[in-house]
Amino acid sequence: MAFKGTIEIDIQRCKGCSVCIGNCPNKCIRLAKAVNSKGYRYAELANDSCVGCASCAMVCPDSVITVYRVKI
Amino acid sequence: MDIISDIKKPENMVYGRPALLTDNVMHYCPGCSHGTVHKIVAEVIEEMGIQDRTIGISPVGCSVFAYNYIDIDWQEAAHGRAPALATATKRLCPDKYVFTYQGDGDLASIGTAEIIHACSRGENIVVIFINNGIYGMTGGQMAPTTLLGMKTSTTPYGRDPKLNGFPLKITEMLAALDGTAFITRQSVHTAAAVRKTKNAIRKGFEYSMKDVGLSFIEVVSTCNSGWKLSPVEANAWMVEHMFVKYPLGDIKDVLK
Ligand SMILES: Cc1ncc(C[n+]2csc(CCOP(=O)(O)OP(=O)(O)O)c2C)c(N)n1
Ligand code: SF4
Ligand code: SF4
Ligand code: SF4
Ligand SMILES: [Mg+2]
């Protein structure tokens, strides 16, 4: 069974710590070039290979990632 | 992009911010382990459905404001005294789930007496112990748990055992006491580690209603600001150095 997923990041609450980036098995996350209102470069989805495993969201200290997943 | 907006529907949500976390933005530095541990404490309480039966005791240290983040009843203890408040609370309200949340300066330094005797008395409470090897809140001074050679603002040339003594493995010490039921050391730097820590915290909460004694969950953590590393570097440094002195795994489980 395969999954297709995506994430939504609350960019105004993201602190750009990058802990999520190294925890993504599919290298789906990067820091944006832009900054949020607090001056942090926030995390963003870098490609469409997300499988919705939620690893990124589990390690996010600020709990700003929501994960969606469907079976395909 | 069409597929992605198709996936992003409430019915497909598999993971999100726990409802028990308040909307307050955490004051912690980016990447601080405290936030991740708060999240899983909130998840455990939510999943066990015990929000109105749980009382947390917050410490003095960076997590002093834990009560602003998890929507349960809280008390705020004087530095190191959380196990004493937890003792009184649990004895007066045995039907409540009572836990302390304490840093290594709070628990293993100024609060050494309180934790040892709460463990020795076998209080039916849960202790969540955040060991980041430093006094984070006050500017990165040496803690009892600071590793040998580790630079802090009070050991600028590295911790020297002749001058500063040796790192204190308080978790192993507490496991030797008859009043402790479940003792484990975990971390939150990967998704797998987060899962294990969450299971351990849940087990602690369950044991606290079984009259078997105190459950103690150490979380080996980072203080990237105090360690003067980026959050990602701090996690790598923790794996390379902290885990050598503080190896992960269960240390004691009286029901196993
Ligand atoms: C009685 C008393 N002594 C000293 C302090 C100063 N103080 C505040 S936090 C702290 C240490 C906190 O370190 P730790 O418990 O490791 O928490 P962290 O910030 O690292 O999470 C100290 C010594 C205080 N607030 N009260
Ligand atoms: S772990 Fe969370 S706060 Fe840190 S960069 Fe990723 S989304 Fe932002
Ligand atoms: S859900 Fe999994 S695959 Fe998707 S971005 Fe997060 S870690 Fe990567
Ligand atoms: S000083 Fe250290 S323990 Fe305190 S919030 Fe910052 S990283 Fe976390
Ligand atoms: Mg500390």
Side-chain angles (χ1 to χ4, degrees):
Chain A
M1 193 189 320
F3 292 103
K4 179 95 197 117
T6 192
I7 57 171
E8 182 150 320
I9 298 168
D10 184 346
I11 60 170
Q12 290 304 338
R13 300 176 72 109
C14 169
K15 294 177 184 164
C17 72
S18 304
V19 168
C20 54
I21 295 175
N23 264 284
C24 173
N26 297 332
K27 300 194 172 18
C28 297
I29 310 175
R30 65 180 177 211
L31 285 191
K33 294 237 161 53
V35 295
N36 63 18
S37 60
K38 296 223 174 74
Y40 293 119
R41 284 180 66 191
Y42 51 85
E44 66 179 12
L45 208 55
N47 53 50
D48 60 2
S49 40
C50 174
V51 292
C53 69
S55 292
C56 55
M58 277 187 241
V59 297
C60 173
D62 288 276
S63 301
V64 303
I65 305 180
T66 309
V67 185
Y68 301 86
R69 186 173 70 183
V70 290
K71 280 181 206 155
I72 50 167
Chain B
M1 272 330 237
D2 267 341
I3 310 172
I4 289 187
S5 47
D6 254 13
I7 301 173
K8 233 180 241 184
K9 286 180 183 152
E11 62 268 31
N12 298 331
M13 193 186 117
V14 287
Y15 193 92
R17 189 179 172 82
L20 227 61
L21 281 185
T22 64
D23 283 338
N24 296 325
V25 173
M26 290 184 184
H27 69 286
Y28 301 118
C29 306
C32 176
S33 310
H34 277 304
T36 316
V37 181
H38 286 14
K39 184 223 322 257
I40 53 183
V41 170
E43 284 177 3
V44 167
I45 296 170
E46 201 172 306
E47 284 165 22
M48 290 177 74
I50 55 171
Q51 177 183 16
D52 53 355
R53 294 173 64 202
T54 305
I55 301 172
I57 323 282
S58 72
V60 169
C62 278
S63 49
V64 61
F65 296 133
Y67 51 75
N68 283 333
Y69 305 129
I70 307 176
D71 189 11
I72 53 169
D73 287 332
W74 285 94
Q75 299 175 58
E76 158 54 32
H79 206 4
R81 273 53 173 179
L85 287 196
T87 297
T89 307
K90 182 69 180 180
R91 287 185 178 207
L92 288 166
C93 313
D95 58 324
K96 303 280 192 211
Y97 292 84
V98 180
F99 75 96
T100 73
Y101 185 104
Q102 303 178 256
D104 48 334
D106 188 83
L107 182 143
S109 186
I110 194 169
T112 312
E114 278 74 16
I115 190 61
I116 286 184
H117 290 292
C119 287
S120 186
R121 292 190 305 268
E123 302 297 340
N124 287 298
I125 59 173
V126 184
V127 174
I128 299 170
F129 170 45
I130 308 299
N131 177 10
N132 54 16
I134 206 161
Y135 290 5
M137 184 195 202
T138 42
Q141 294 83 2
M142 190 194 92
T145 44
T146 297
L147 299 180
L148 291 183
M150 191 171 158
K151 288 185 178 139
T152 69
S153 59
T154 46
T155 57
Y157 304 106
R159 182 177 191 169
D160 170 5
K162 288 217 168 66
L163 190 61
N164 314 115
F166 292 90
L168 181 61
K169 293 178 82 165
I170 196 157
T171 303
E172 277 80 354
M173 282 173 58
L174 299 174
L177 301 175
D178 293 333
T180 49
F182 173 50
I183 303 229
T184 188
R185 185 184 284 122
Q186 302 295 338
S187 70
V188 291
H189 63 303
T190 63
V194 165
R195 270 196 208 96
K196 282 191 194 159
T197 305
K198 189 173 160 186
N199 288 340
I201 292 173
R202 179 161 185 144
K203 186 190 266 193
F205 273 82
E206 286 165 359
Y207 278 25
S208 73
M209 285 298 170
K210 292 186 175 167
D211 202 20
V212 286
L214 189 143
S215 293
F216 189 94
I217 296 112
E218 172 176 345
V219 185
V220 184
S221 298
T222 62
C223 169
N224 57 75
S225 289
W227 296 3
K228 313 245 179 284
L229 296 170
S230 74
V232 171
E233 288 165 350
N235 275 338
W237 195 91
M238 175 182 73
V239 172
E240 196 179 333
H241 300 281
M242 293 284 279
F243 289 180
V244 176
K245 186 71 192 171
Y246 304 113
L248 305 188
D250 289 353
I251 296 168
K252 176 180 185 180
D253 187 344
V254 294
L255 295 187
K256 241 186 180 168

